Structures are given as structure tokens and as C-alpha cells.
Amino acid sequence: MATRIFTSFFELFLIFLVMSTKNVRGQGRASVPAMFIFGDSLIDNGNNNDLPSLAKANYFPYGIDFKGGATGRFSNGYTMVDTIAELLGLPLIPSHSAASGDQMRYGVNYASAAAGILDNTGRNFVTRIPFNQQIKNFENTLDEITDSLGAPDVADSIARCIFFVGIGSNDYLNNYLMPNYNTKSQYNGQQFADLLAQQYSQQLSRLYNLGARKFVIAGLGLMGCIPSILAQSNNGVCSDDVNNLIVPFNTNTKAMINNLSANLPGSRFSYIDVHNMFQDLLANARSYGFSVVNRGCCGIGRNRGQITCLPYQMPCLDRKRYIFWDAFHPTEAVNVLFGRQAFNGNKNVVYPINIQQLASL
């Protein structure tokens, strides 16, 4: 039964590649066959829903502005990859946990809340799907496809798809900065960033060896300015210590991308500079239409960040004016803004090429 499902999926997938002039949801031709997504709660859309995990968002008011309600997205509505999918001409990409058959025709989202580059990241939330396991899940899908259709057809198909990876924040928030982890006593900030870069490079190389060629890599934003961190001090200002801690990670990620581009034939990368995006947004919030920059729309305590959004808690009403939805995650309005910037922005926010340019290659 499982083999028939996967055969049906990739027969449809390959037909889509051949007949690429067909419309997607009546919006015109898609610029790529599919998008495969890996990461954490910033882009998870339901993979933790059925896990014995404390990292879930499948309850109201999450999804209050999303047509499907509370799907498992850690947002009031769209995530960044939802926006990017639509701009690529694709439908919203289904979660790995819920997708089957024709639903997977345009890609799969493997992201999991609390996941990290390191396998032990996020263990305080009990169950999550680390990046290594996400890659394994993709590999399992690929094995089914290859057995059914043959390696050459699959390789050509996969090489034309977008592989979006946004991960690393939990390796800091739910590992390095957690008092019940001994990571901080083992590594200084630079050493930890080097460890992450080494693992990250190996993981992206695994995806390359599985056929990925077009990569979109999201850097880390100003995590010292999220409500959860703001709530840890009385002055309510961004934590320079946390923001400085992640600088080496972003620096290493850019260097890693340059190295992979030089050593993996045929690979192409777009790096989303979320740090610069957030810096610009906080400095020019009102010009973007935001008036609340330092507290969550849904949460409890100082900066509405001491306890994140609880089931059936009433959120703020003017959500489009808030940068942060809960203690950790941006609102739909920010996700849409950043998704559009990543898709067709200039080199200040995405480089060496934006996603639109990557898709056209």
C-alpha cells in the first residue's frame, strides 16, 4: 500500500515536471517543481502535532488568522515558507506527518519545533525531530521514489527543486543558554559556533548527496530581542550578550555556504540574512506599519514573554501592528514581509542571489 502511494505521488510529480506549463491553483506556472523544507518552529506546520512533545501549536489562538485554523504553525497565520511557496507559484507545502499521495506533489515540510542542528538540542520539550532525523525522513521518502521510478528520473527532478533550511536558533535558546545543559561550560561562543558549522556543513552535504542542488539557507535573527529574552531583565531592552553570541554562527554559516558552493559541483545557494532583516525592521518599525516591537501578541508576564501563548488565551486584537506573536515567534505580518524580501530582495537581505533568481536557474 505504501509503495503504491509513493509511486502515485512521483508519477504525478514527474508528470508535473514534463507538463510544466500547467497552472497551480490557477495562479500561473510554478517556477520550481517542488520545495522541501527543513527546520524548527519558525517554519514547522504540524509535524509535532501527534508527537509526545511539549513543543506544539495545534490549539487556539495559534492559527487564528489562518484559513485552516490551528494547524501546528507557531504563528497567528502564515510562516515565512508559506509566503515563499505562494510566490514560487506552489500551493502551501504539507507537513511530513500529514502528507500522502497527491498532497506531496509539490513538496514536503519536515520541520519540527524544538529541533536543532545538534541531536540533543530541545530535549526539554521531550520529543522533537532533529535535523539529522528530518534528513533521514526525506531519505526514506527518496528511497521509495527511487525504487519505483529509477535513479536518473528522480535525480533530475530533485535537482530542480528548492531545499529550504532554517535551523539553529534552538541550539542556542534550548541548548547553549539552558541551565540544565553543560554546553556552555564545554564551549565558548566561537567554539560552539564552530561545532554547529561543522555539523551543519555535513548535514547540507548529505542533502546534496541525496540530490539537492538549489539551497535556501536562513540565518539567525536578533534573538536577544525576542519577548522571551526581553522578559528576563527589568529594563526590557535587547540582550547584547545573546545577540553577540549568535554573530559567529551567522558568520560561519556564510563561510560554510561559500565553501560548499566551491566544493559541491552544481550547487547554488541563497542566504537569507534574517539578522539584517530584523535589524532594519526594529529600527524602522513604524514605516513598515508596526507599533509594538517589544512584547508578544499572545503570552503572559513581562513583555508577554515569560510564559508563551496558552490554549484559548485571547491574543491582541491589532495583530498586524505587532512584530512578535508569542514569546519566540514573529507574527504573520512579519513572516509575510520577510518571505517577500527573501524572494525578491536585494543583497542587503539575501545573497548572492535571491530565491526568485535561484528558482530561475
Side-chain angles (χ1 to χ4, degrees):
M1 178 64 179
T3 301
R4 286 200 301 272
I5 288 173
F6 278 109
T7 302
S8 173
F9 156 43
F10 255 78
E11 284 172 352
L12 288 167
F13 183 79
L14 291 174
I15 288 169
F16 172 73
L17 287 176
V18 174
M19 301 177 67
S20 59
T21 56
K22 281 193 173 184
N23 289 353
V24 177
R25 295 170 61 186
Q27 295 178 358
R29 193 174 67 180
S31 53
V32 294
M35 179 165 64
F36 296 94
I37 300 161
F38 306 81
D40 52 34
S41 59
L42 290 168
I43 49 179
D44 182 2
N45 64 343
N47 284 309
N48 283 18
N49 288 357
D50 297 323
L51 298 179
S53 175
L54 299 176
K56 296 187 181 186
N58 57 339
Y59 56 83
F60 180 88
Y62 286 95
I64 188 172
D65 299 311
F66 188 78
K67 185 177 180 180
T71 58
R73 289 168 169 81
F74 286 75
S75 170
N76 57 305
Y78 270 24
T79 65
M80 183 193 291
V81 292
D82 290 330
T83 298
I84 291 170
E86 288 197 341
L87 290 170
L88 288 168
L90 300 171
L92 300 188
I93 308 301
S95 65
H96 176 248
S97 63
S100 63
D102 187 51
Q103 291 177 314
M104 297 193 291
R105 179 178 172 183
Y106 299 106
V108 180
N109 185 334
Y110 297 91
S112 171
I117 293 169
L118 302 178
D119 287 346
N120 69 337
T121 287
R123 69 183 179 213
N124 290 348
F125 292 92
V126 190
T127 308
R128 69 281 178 214
I129 309 169
F131 188 25
N132 279 321
Q133 183 58 48
Q134 293 177 35
I135 297 171
K136 183 62 178 175
N137 290 343
F138 171 71
E139 186 176 7
N140 291 339
T141 304
L142 207 54
D143 286 344
E144 296 278 356
I145 298 161
T146 303
D147 288 345
S148 300
L149 298 171
D153 285 340
V154 172
D156 179 67
S157 304
I158 295 298
R160 297 170 59 189
C161 299
I162 293 288
F163 283 73
F164 186 104
V165 184
I167 202 158
S169 61
N170 286 313
D171 292 292
Y172 288 93
L173 294 173
N174 291 301
N175 186 329
Y176 194 84
L177 293 172
M178 277 288 164
N180 64 327
Y181 279 76
N182 62 0
T183 314
K184 200 171 185 178
S185 65
Q186 294 179 309
Y187 306 97
N188 63 33
Q190 184 63 58
Q191 290 169 339
F192 187 60
D194 292 344
L195 172 69
L196 293 177
Q198 181 184 32
Q199 293 289 318
Y200 205 1
S201 180
Q202 292 173 1
Q203 291 161 335
L204 295 178
S205 295
R206 280 177 62 196
L207 284 175
Y208 174 86
N209 290 334
L210 291 170
R213 292 296 182 269
K214 296 183 178 184
F215 294 88
V216 177
I217 308 297
L220 301 185
L222 293 174
M223 296 194 307
C225 299
I226 65 175
S228 175
I229 298 296
L230 295 178
Q232 295 176 24
S233 68
N234 292 320
N235 58 21
V237 300
C238 295
S239 168
D240 289 336
D241 288 343
V242 173
N243 283 337
N244 291 334
L245 178 65
I246 64 169
V247 168
F249 176 87
N250 285 334
T251 300
N252 282 2
T253 300
K254 296 171 197 175
M256 174 193 71
I257 288 172
N258 290 337
N259 182 61
L260 292 175
S261 296
N263 290 286
L264 299 180
S267 65
R268 299 299 297 264
F269 288 82
S270 290
Y271 174 76
I272 305 175
D273 198 327
V274 183
H275 179 277
N276 281 0
M277 286 180 172
F278 249 113
Q279 196 167 50
D280 174 59
L281 176 60
L282 292 175
N284 302 287
R286 292 196 177 276
S287 67
Y288 286 108
F290 299 96
S291 57
V292 185
V293 303
N294 61 353
R295 65 179 184 272
C297 171
C298 186
I300 294 174
R302 187 183 300 123
N303 301 95
R304 293 185 191 161
Q306 290 178 297
I307 300 175
T308 199
C309 192
L310 295 174
Y312 298 102
Q313 181 181 349
M314 288 306 299
C316 65
L317 296 178
D318 49 346
R319 293 179 285 277
K320 290 184 178 180
R321 303 192 68 79
Y322 277 68
I323 286 179
F324 296 102
W325 160 247
D326 61 12
F328 301 96
H329 307 96
T331 56
E332 174 184 64
V334 172
N335 286 329
V336 170
L337 173 66
F338 284 2
R340 289 172 178 168
Q341 290 179 339
F343 185 75
N344 57 19
N346 60 35
K347 287 182 170 59
N348 290 328
V349 292
V350 55
Y351 49 82
I353 54 177
N354 61 39
I355 297 174
Q356 185 176 37
Q357 292 166 332
L358 179 69
S360 69
L361 295 176

